[in-house]
Amino acid sequence: MSIKIRNLVLLLFMQLSMLSVVAQQPFWVFFADKSSENFDPYSYFDSKAIERRMKHNLPLSSFTDWPVKVQYVDEVRRLSDSLLGQSRWFNAIALMATASQIQEIQNLVYVVEIRPIQINMEPCSADVEILNGLPTGVFPQIEVMGYSAFKEAGIDGKGVRVAIFDGGFPGANTVEAMQEIVKEGRLIKTWDFTKKQENVFYSIQHGTNVMSNIGGKNKNGFPLGMATGAEFLLAKTEINREPYSEEVHWLEAVEWADKNGADIINSSLGYTHSRYFQEDMDGEKSLVARAANIAAAKGILVVNSAGNEGGGSWTVIGTPADADSVLSVGGVEPGSLLHIDFSSFGPTSTGKMKPNVCAFGTSWVANKKNGFNTASGTSFSSPLVAGFAACALQAHPELKVMELFKLIEQSGHLYPYFDYAHGYGIPQAKYILNQQKESQPKALELMAENSKVVAKILLPTQFQIGDSQYLYVKLSDENGKVLHFKVLSVYQKEVELYTENFWKDLDFSTLTCEVFYKGGYYQINLTKP
C-alpha cells in the first residue's frame, strides 16, 4: 500500500472518529526534500558539537542537520491553525489543524506523510518523602557504584556536557546544592520548549531533583551524584496535563542538545499506555525512540529511565527506553540491591535486552526549597547512571558513544549475567578505571541431576538464621532469549533451581541455565531428554 493511500485511509478513519470536522487535532507533517543552501555548520553548532562529530568521524553537515524549507513551513502554516514546532532530523513540522485543513495539506506535492499526534508524555512518577537525618558522609546511592574510586582518580565528569530533559527546574540556579555549577559557569544553556523562552526555573521540581543526582552536593559538600564537575544544558519539555505536545518538545530538545554540544542526555521521561500497546515497545515505532537512535549516531549517549510501571498492568519499559542505542536504567532496592517493585521490566517486544543497567530506585535529592529529601522512581536511577557515564567519559575521552555504552554495561556488577529486571546490574567505577573484574573464589557447582538443575554451594559458609546470599538464575533458549529468571535467597548448601516438572511442557531442544552467585558466573547447557 502506498504512502498516499495509507494516508487517505488514515484521514477517513479520523473523519469518522471526530465529533466534528472542525475539531482541531495535532499532527506531524513530513516533507519530501530540503537543501543545504546557506547552512554553515560552524555558525550553527557549538564548538563541542563540532568536536564530537570529528571524534566520531561524522560529516559536519548532513541531511538531518539542514533546516526545514521555510517555503514549506510558511505554506502549510497558512493552511493550518497553528504551528507547534518542527524537526530538522525528521524534516517535519507539528501543527494544529482540522480534518478539512489536513485534506488540503495532504494534496501538497511535497508532503509525503501525515501522522496524528496522540501521545501523552509524563515524567516517570516519583514518590517524595521528607526525612530527618541527612547522611553526613558519602551517599550510598553513589558509593554503591564505586564513587570513592573515581574520587581517588580525580574523576568528576569535568569537561563532559550533560543535557537534562524534564518538566521544570525551580531553584536549580539558586539552591546550595547547585551553586558550584552556577558560580563556575557550568550551567551552559537553558531553554523552555513549552513557552519558547530561556527561563526554565519554575513549574514542577522533578528536573531539579534529577539534576542533583547527576552533579549536586549536599550542605556538607558531599555529592548527591558523581558528575560534580560536569557542564549542563537544561531543557523544559513538559506541561502539566498537556495531552500531546511533549513529543514535539522532546524532538526539538534532542536536536537542541546536539546543536549545543551535549555528550550525554538524561531523559527521566517515558511514553506508555497513553497511546501505545506493549507490542509497540520495539525501539522503532515511536519518533522519540528513532530520535534517540539518531542522537546516538551523532555521538550522544542517551540515558533513559526504564519507567515505573513494573507493579501495574503495563509492566514493561516505555519508549524511548526501548530504543537499541539508549542506555535504559532500571531501579533496585537500596538494601538488597534487588529489583524495586515499581521498576519496569524488559525486554523490548522484539526480545532485545532491557534495561541495560540499574541503580538505586530511591535516592537523596536536592529540592527547590534549598533542602534535601528522598525520592523514589527510575527517574532517579537514570541520572545516577548519567553522572556515572560522565565520569566514565572523562576517564576515557577517546571512546566513541557505543564503546562507552558497552563499557558501562560490562562494568555492571552482575556482568556477564543479565536479566530483564536488573540488566547487567549496577555499574562499577573500578571496572571503568582498570577494566578488570575482581577475581572471586569458586562459590558453587552447577549441575543437572535426573532432569533437575542443582546448585551446590562450595564456600565454607556457616549459614545462620536470617542470613542469606542472593543467587540470580535464568534459562535462555538457543537464540539467547530469556525464558525465565528469578532471584533466590540461599540459606542452605544445596539449592534446587529447576525441577523436572518445571520444563515438562516446555518446547525446547537445548536450553542454557546461567547463575550469578557471590561475584561468580556459572552456566550449564541442558538438552531435553
Side-chain angles (χ1 to χ4, degrees):
M1 184 183 292
S2 70
I3 290 175
K4 292 287 185 180
I5 294 174
R6 286 201 305 268
N7 284 329
L8 288 174
V9 172
L10 175 63
L11 286 170
L12 178 61
F13 171 79
M14 289 188 299
Q15 289 170 352
L16 290 173
S17 62
M18 289 178 181
L19 293 177
S20 168
V21 294
V22 299
Q24 297 175 7
Q25 299 289 326
F27 297 90
W28 279 109
V29 177
F30 297 85
F31 300 132
D33 63 293
K34 56 179 174 173
S35 170
S36 62
E37 186 179 357
N38 299 323
F39 178 75
D40 177 11
Y42 289 98
S43 60
Y44 178 74
F45 290 116
D46 183 275
S47 61
K48 280 184 70 71
I50 296 289
E51 291 171 8
R52 172 165 36 78
R53 278 166 166 72
M54 295 178 69
K55 170 183 170 179
H56 286 80
N57 301 316
L58 298 172
L60 300 185
S61 174
S62 68
F63 182 87
T64 54
D65 301 317
W66 305 341
V68 181
K69 280 191 175 182
V70 174
Q71 173 193 347
Y72 295 170
V73 175
D74 289 345
E75 288 179 2
V76 172
R77 191 203 307 262
R78 286 194 293 270
L79 294 175
S80 64
D81 180 73
S82 60
L83 184 66
L84 299 174
Q86 60 180 276
S87 168
R88 292 181 179 223
W89 289 4
F90 292 102
N91 195 23
I93 62 173
L95 49 78
M96 295 291 294
T98 64
S100 59
Q101 289 171 333
I102 285 296
Q103 183 63 64
E104 288 188 80
I105 294 169
Q106 175 68 52
N107 292 329
L108 298 172
V109 294
Y110 51 78
V111 171
V112 295
E113 183 181 357
I114 296 178
R115 180 183 301 187
I117 302 173
Q118 298 173 353
I119 305 174
N120 181 27
M121 187 174 185
E122 300 174 351
C124 293
S125 58
D127 295 324
V128 177
E129 185 176 1
I130 307 298
L131 297 175
N132 294 320
L134 185 70
T136 56
V138 177
F139 285 74
Q141 64 210 41
I142 58 172
E143 189 54 56
V144 73
M145 296 189 289
Y147 162 75
S148 296
F150 276 153
K151 182 180 180 182
E152 290 172 10
I155 301 295
D156 63 359
K158 183 177 181 180
V160 178
R161 189 165 293 181
V162 182
I164 306 174
F165 301 171
D166 220 288
F169 302 87
N173 59 335
T174 58
V175 297
E176 185 177 3
M178 264 73 87
Q179 276 306 289
E180 282 187 14
I181 296 170
V182 175
K183 288 179 180 178
E184 294 173 7
R186 292 188 282 112
L187 183 52
I188 306 299
K189 282 185 182 294
T190 63
W191 191 253
D192 178 1
F193 289 89
T194 70
K195 291 187 176 180
K196 313 304 179 188
Q197 63 181 22
E198 288 188 355
N199 179 29
V200 298
F201 306 111
Y202 73 100
S203 191
I204 64 171
Q205 66 173 349
H206 191 268
T208 306
N209 303 150
V210 164
M211 183 179 178
S212 73
N213 270 179
I214 299 175
K217 294 184 177 181
N218 78 347
K219 59 186 177 184
N220 297 316
F222 288 101
L224 296 161
M226 286 187 162
T228 55
E231 302 172 354
F232 290 90
L233 303 168
L234 305 183
K236 186 180 187 303
T237 60
E238 297 295 304
I239 304 174
N240 286 335
R241 297 181 300 279
E242 217 313 319
Y244 50 78
S245 64
E246 288 86 352
E247 178 193 25
V248 179
H249 302 329
W250 203 98
L251 294 182
E252 290 182 317
V254 73
E255 295 178 23
W256 173 83
D258 171 43
K259 174 183 177 180
N260 288 291
D263 299 300
I264 296 169
I265 291 172
N266 181 82
S267 168
S268 292
L269 306 166
Y271 295 99
T272 56
H273 48 73
S274 295
R275 171 178 178 179
Y276 293 105
F277 298 106
Q278 291 179 340
E279 57 266 29
D280 294 329
M281 301 296 99
D282 60 2
E284 298 178 358
K285 185 176 182 70
S286 77
L287 285 182
V288 289
R290 289 162 58 188
N293 283 334
I294 293 173
K298 292 178 180 292
I300 303 171
L301 179 68
V302 181
V303 184
N304 208 101
S305 50
N308 300 332
E309 307 279 359
S313 59
W314 177 267
T315 72
V316 299
I317 57 167
T319 190
D322 61 331
D324 281 358
S325 300
V326 167
L327 191 71
S328 305
V329 186
V332 295
E333 289 276 5
S336 66
L337 305 187
L338 300 180
H339 174 265
I340 199 165
D341 57 359
F342 54 73
S343 183
S344 295
F345 293 93
T348 68
S349 63
T350 55
K352 294 182 179 178
M353 188 198 80
K354 293 290 175 180
N356 301 92
V357 292
C358 57
F360 275 16
T362 296
S363 67
W364 283 92
V365 300
N367 60 45
K368 65 181 181 180
K369 296 181 179 179
N370 210 29
F372 302 87
N373 52 263
T374 59
S376 296
T378 57
S379 284
F380 308 106
S381 54
S382 179
L384 289 171
V385 170
F388 180 96
C391 292
L393 184 55
Q394 182 192 359
H396 297 283
E398 76 286 355
L399 291 181
K400 295 181 180 179
V401 63
M402 295 314 293
E403 294 171 338
L404 177 64
F405 184 108
K406 292 299 182 184
L407 181 63
I408 293 171
E409 284 188 326
Q410 291 165 3
S411 78
H413 80 290
L414 300 177
Y415 189 88
Y417 176 93
F418 73 86
D419 61 37
Y420 297 148
H422 306 90
Y424 287 114
I426 302 168
Q428 297 298 302
K430 286 184 178 180
Y431 184 84
I432 297 296
L433 296 173
N434 60 38
Q435 297 183 43
Q436 291 182 346
K437 294 282 186 180
E438 294 183 7
S439 60
Q440 300 289 341
K442 189 175 181 182
L444 60 77
E445 184 176 346
L446 191 60
M447 60 187 66
E449 296 179 341
N450 301 320
S451 298
K452 298 177 183 178
V453 179
V454 176
K456 292 187 176 180
I457 309 300
L458 301 179
L459 291 178
T461 305
Q462 298 299 317
F463 288 101
Q464 304 293 328
I465 295 176
D467 290 343
S468 103
Q469 301 289 342
Y470 292 113
L471 184 151
Y472 300 73
V473 58
K474 68 176 180 181
L475 289 174
S476 305
D477 65 17
E478 50 198 8
N479 296 316
K481 182 178 180 181
V482 178
L483 304 177
H484 181 264
F485 66 92
K486 59 186 175 181
V487 180
L488 302 175
S489 249
V490 178
Y491 295 90
Q492 64 279 0
K493 293 288 188 178
E494 185 170 306
V495 186
E496 194 170 273
L497 303 179
Y498 293 105
T499 67
E500 182 178 4
N501 289 333
F502 177 80
W503 44 55
K504 211 172 245 186
D505 298 324
L506 289 182
D507 182 18
F508 75 95
S509 56
T510 302
L511 289 180
T512 299
C513 179
E514 297 168 79
V515 168
F516 181 88
Y517 179 69
K518 292 187 72 66
Y521 171 78
Y522 312 86
Q523 72 173 50
I524 186 172
N525 291 325
L526 308 168
T527 302
K528 194 165 188 176

